[in-house]
Amino acid sequence: RPPRVFYNAPDGSFRIGIHIQKPHPDGPLGAMRDSHASGPEDLPGYRDASVRETTYRGHPAAVWTFTWSGDAPDFDPAQGPRRTYDLAWEQDGKLYDIWVSSPLGDQATGKRHWETATDTFATD
């Protein structure tokens, strides 16, 4: 669904999202802080959230992690609460954002999927 690209597990339990957009005026950290600030409004049951500055392949980056209820039309309510891992970075005049959402009870697998997605992502 433009402007994002989603990859879903066959049962819908895991979702990888990729969003490429114009840079945020305050960089990736500002983008993630803005998302965090709107989390309680945008994501039912938003909690256990953090934003931290980092680098990604030598580029300025930020990581945002959070838990939420999973109460959205795109998710099976039987899966319950979800954990999300999100990395944003700036490169070549673009803001890249890769995230993985997983059932809270299987967040370790979700984190491994996110690490694989960010380790293998190519911009060209």
Side-chain angles (χ1 to χ4, degrees), residues 61-87:
V63 172
W64 175 35
T65 57
F66 60 91
T67 300
W68 66 295
S69 70
D71 185 17
D74 295 357
F75 293 98
D76 179 353
Q79 294 173 354
R82 302 187 66 79
R83 183 71 176 167
T84 299
Y85 301 90
D86 191 339
L87 170 71

Side-chain angles (χ1 to χ4, degrees), residues 13 21 48 71 75 84 111 120-122:
S13 58
Q21 56 196 309
D48 302 328
D71 185 17
F75 293 98
T84 299
K111 187 171 184 183
T120 61
F121 186 80

Side-chain angles (χ1 to χ4, degrees), residues 17-24 27-32 52 54-64 86-99 114 117-124:
I18 300 170
H19 188 195
I20 303 168
Q21 56 196 309
K22 292 180 182 178
H24 187 280
L29 183 61
M32 294 291 97
R52 66 177 172 83
T54 188
T55 59
Y56 177 72
R57 299 179 182 167
H59 302 283
V63 172
W64 175 35
D86 191 339
L87 170 71
W89 76 95
E90 285 187 6
Q91 181 178 343
D92 300 327
K94 297 176 184 171
L95 179 69
Y96 292 86
D97 186 4
I98 298 177
W99 55 267
W114 176 70
T118 57
D119 286 350
T120 61
F121 186 80
T123 59
D124 49 343

Side-chain angles (χ1 to χ4, degrees), residues 93-114:
K94 297 176 184 171
L95 179 69
Y96 292 86
D97 186 4
I98 298 177
W99 55 267
V100 170
S101 176
S102 67
L104 185 58
D106 205 0
Q107 68 184 19
T109 301
K111 187 171 184 183
R112 282 195 307 275
H113 289 325
W114 176 70

